[in-house]
Amino acid sequence: MKNIIFIAPPATGKSTQSKMLVEKYHYNHISTSNLLRKEVSDNTPLANDIKKMIDAGNLVSDEIVTKLLEVELKKISGPFVLDGYPRNIIQAKNLELILKKNNLNINYIIYIDIKLDEAIKRVKGRLICPQCNKVYNTHNNIMKPKHDNICDICLIKLIVRPDDNEEAYKKRYNIFVNEIKPLLEYYNEKGVLSVIEDSLYPDETFNKIEKIIL
Ligand code: AMP
């Protein structure tokens, strides 16, 4: 099995797809968003700065995210899916250095595309388990929790992310589009980029991903 990067506008479902890879193929899932949120919930010295940036829909500094990622990559063994990193060319180059240092490589870079109005609908329905990070969506029947507002697995109350409001989302989406264009060109020129269109149904998107990686 080979290492994968998912690049996608926020709320496209890259975490859901990553979890499907974990469940079916035992991938390690490295989400920079989750690493950052863990710093916040553990109340580390970086917690306040990170929380402010995330809640406002801004990107956290390249230095902080890259450091957290490097530590995480050292902890895992086996194939991994990287979700949320790189977000810009600086991060892509940092990643190349870290991979080289640790004798690792990336085999697939998959861009999952989505239209802005569909993404906004999703963001408005998104609920997350604060314990296992499973993502639910009240906007999509097959992604609703079995019981309103309760995680199917942990049986605890689901939360709405503070940055999942229309204003912060539009900001995140615009930052994403501006930063990601050059990144996609960078990977396209290297001939390592696959592009798929996101489907409303996670299984359909997953089938498209499997066609690329298997
Ligand atoms: P996501 O769930 O991937 O949309 O990420 C949520 C938030 O976490 C982003 O809006 C950023 O504030 C922060 N974040 C996650 N990954 C990165 C990254 N690679 N670089 C900078 N900030 C990040």
Side-chain angles (χ1 to χ4, degrees):
M1 268 187 303
K2 298 180 171 176
N3 302 325
I4 302 169
I5 292 178
F6 281 148
I7 302 175
T12 302
K14 51 188 168 32
S15 289
T16 301
Q17 295 302 324
S18 302
K19 284 199 182 295
M20 290 167 90
L21 284 172
V22 172
E23 273 160 31
K24 188 158 178 190
Y25 298 112
H26 310 293
Y27 267 84
N28 292 284
H29 175 204
I30 305 178
S31 152
T32 45
S33 170
N34 290 349
L35 293 178
L36 290 165
R37 285 171 208 284
K38 181 142 192 338
E39 290 292 299
V40 175
S41 60
D42 290 351
N43 208 10
T44 68
L46 297 173
N48 273 348
D49 287 347
I50 293 175
K51 187 172 177 350
K52 264 190 232 148
M53 298 305 274
I54 293 183
D55 289 354
N58 290 318
L59 288 183
V60 176
S61 78
D62 292 332
E63 289 81 353
I64 292 178
V65 193
T66 305
K67 210 190 255 168
L68 293 176
L69 172 67
E70 188 163 11
V71 171
E72 192 66 16
L73 272 172
K74 287 210 168 87
K75 283 192 209 155
I76 58 150
S77 67
F80 60 87
V81 52
L82 189 49
D83 152 9
Y85 192 103
R87 289 281 236 270
N88 55 40
I89 304 263
I90 293 174
Q91 292 188 5
K93 295 202 167 156
N94 285 338
L95 180 63
E96 280 159 22
L97 292 176
I98 297 172
L99 293 174
K100 204 167 170 198
K101 244 194 326 194
N102 291 283
N103 223 358
L104 294 167
N105 58 354
I106 296 289
N107 308 90
Y108 301 104
I109 299 174
I110 303 178
Y111 177 62
I112 311 174
D113 203 6
I114 192 171
K115 304 272 171 301
L116 176 61
D117 34 336
E118 173 59 24
I120 287 176
K121 268 193 231 157
R122 283 194 201 180
V123 111
K124 287 182 174 166
R126 181 153 79 162
L127 292 168
I128 294 195
C129 172
Q131 195 159 298
C132 71
N133 294 312
K134 186 173 163 65
V135 179
Y136 296 87
N137 207 303
T138 53
H139 155 70
N140 183 339
N141 274 340
I142 60 163
M143 289 188 73
K144 283 184 183 165
K146 288 193 187 109
H147 303 284
D148 278 358
N149 283 323
I150 302 290
C151 175
D152 296 349
I153 302 160
C154 308
L155 302 177
I156 61 170
K157 205 166 182 288
L158 300 172
I159 55 163
V160 176
R161 282 174 35 168
D163 56 340
D164 273 354
N165 59 72
E166 191 164 339
E167 192 192 338
Y169 184 79
K170 280 190 175 154
K171 190 165 173 189
R172 283 156 66 207
Y173 187 90
N174 289 332
I175 292 175
F176 178 85
V177 170
N178 289 337
E179 298 270 359
I180 232 63
K181 248 193 184 161
L183 185 62
L184 294 180
E185 279 160 17
Y186 178 77
Y187 284 136
N188 204 19
E189 273 166 25
K190 287 179 177 267
V192 289
L193 186 69
S194 305
V195 179
I196 58 172
E197 194 65 43
D198 189 59
S199 309
L200 185 58
Y201 302 105
D203 283 350
E204 273 179 27
T205 307
F206 194 64
N207 285 342
K208 294 180 193 170
I209 292 167
E210 283 183 308
K211 281 199 184 117
I212 296 169
I213 63 168
L214 295 182

